[in-house]
């Protein structure tokens, strides 16, 4: 924290970052949270993030359109990250509106390709009728693709995720993935910088 005028943070653990936020507050350093919210909002200046609940809803709609009922869905979540929590919340909310679509299993995928791969491998072992997967981000979806390819089941499973990363777009174009709900990281970064400039100009961030 030494010498910092402002801190931008993209928290992985929305509760575990509290200690660092308290230190920044004590030193009078404003903190701007980017992409994923923190639990203790009183300790920060502002949050700049996408509508992650809606991102989950979009993924659910995509699967509901593409999967012929009965839909048996596996969900790879990441329960330490608020953005990921919100995505799963939106997904569950929306998928419940579609008859014939059922969440068969929810497991911790941790949002990485390496972590998602063995989790999905185990999931399809316990649920051989799985025909859809929602991964909370694109790295997780790539792990899902890898696990399904190894098991020879990729063709029969539709995969939806969130981020809009280049690798996910390529997977969609090659027919390995159904959809990814795009975010706009450049715009999020721009608005976070604007919030800092507003603060130092004596304005309310975002105004």
């Amino acid at each position: 924290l030494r010498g910092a005028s402002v801190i931008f943070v993209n928290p992985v653990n929305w509760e575990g970052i509290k200690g660092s936020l308290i230190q920044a507050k004590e030193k009078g350093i404003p903190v701007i949270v980017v992409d994923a919210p923190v639990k203790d909002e009183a300790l920060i200046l502002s949050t700049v993030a996408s509508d992650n609940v809606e991102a989950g809803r979009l993924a659910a709609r995509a699967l509901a359109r593409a999967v012929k009922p009965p839909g048996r869905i596996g969900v790879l979540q990441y329960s330490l990250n608020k953005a990921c929590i919100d995505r799963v919340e939106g997904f569950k909310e929306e998928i419940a509106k579609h008859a014939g679509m059922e969440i068969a299993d929810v497991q911790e995928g941790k949002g990485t390709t390496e972590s998602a791969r063995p989790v999905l491998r185990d999931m399809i072992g316990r649920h051989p009728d799985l025909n859809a997967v929602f991964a909370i981000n694109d790295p997780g979806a790539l792990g899902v693709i890898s696990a399904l390819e190894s098991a020879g089941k990729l063709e029969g499973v539709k995969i939806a995720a969130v981020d809009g990363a280049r690798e996910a777009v390529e997977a969609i174009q090659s027919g390995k993935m159904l959809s990814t709900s795009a975010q706009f990281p450049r715009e999020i970064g721009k608005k976070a910088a604007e919030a800092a400039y507003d603060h130092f100009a004596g304005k309310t961030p975002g105004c």
Side-chain angles (χ1 to χ4, degrees):
L1 301 179
R2 186 178 300 169
S5 298
V6 62
I7 297 172
F8 298 90
V9 61
N10 176 212
V12 173
N13 186 328
W14 82 305
E15 294 180 302
I17 195 174
K18 183 175 181 178
S20 298
L21 298 180
I22 290 173
Q23 288 183 45
K25 189 81 169 180
E26 290 173 346
K27 292 179 180 295
I29 304 172
V31 176
I32 297 172
V33 174
V34 180
D35 186 47
V38 296
K39 186 171 185 178
D40 302 283
E41 293 190 349
L43 297 174
I44 65 170
L45 178 65
S46 65
T47 300
V48 182
S50 303
D51 185 341
N52 284 292
V53 174
E54 181 62 17
R57 293 190 192 113
L58 291 172
R61 290 171 196 149
L63 288 178
R65 287 193 300 267
V67 176
K68 183 179 180 181
R72 297 277 292 163
I73 308 165
V75 176
L76 296 193
Q77 65 180 5
Y78 187 24
S79 58
L80 292 179
N81 184 283
K82 187 60 167 66
C84 298
I85 293 170
D86 287 347
R87 292 170 189 178
V88 173
E89 178 185 319
F91 182 85
K92 289 180 175 178
E93 173 192 300
E94 181 64 30
I95 210 69
K97 300 175 183 178
H98 299 273
M101 301 297 288
E102 177 187 2
I103 296 176
D105 201 355
V106 180
Q107 296 293 332
E108 289 289 329
K110 298 183 179 179
T112 70
T113 300
E114 295 73 19
S115 296
R117 190 182 296 115
V119 172
L120 201 283
R121 200 159 45 226
D122 176 69
M123 188 181 287
I124 58 177
R126 288 181 290 107
H127 302 281
D129 58 345
L130 211 68
N131 56 9
V133 176
F134 172 54
I136 47 85
N137 63 7
D138 289 341
L142 296 178
V144 169
I145 291 171
S146 176
L148 290 172
E149 283 182 322
S150 297
K153 291 192 170 187
L154 181 60
E155 188 174 339
V157 181
K158 302 295 184 184
I159 304 163
V162 179
D163 276 347
R166 177 177 53 82
E167 294 84 357
V169 173
E170 291 172 354
I172 292 169
Q173 292 171 337
S174 66
K176 295 182 177 183
M177 185 169 164
L178 174 65
S179 72
T180 180
S181 303
Q183 297 196 96
F184 301 93
R186 186 182 296 273
E187 187 64 21
I188 290 173
K190 179 183 176 184
K191 288 188 178 297
E194 289 172 351
Y197 281 117
D198 284 346
H199 171 73
F200 290 119
K203 302 176 185 177
T204 301
C207 297

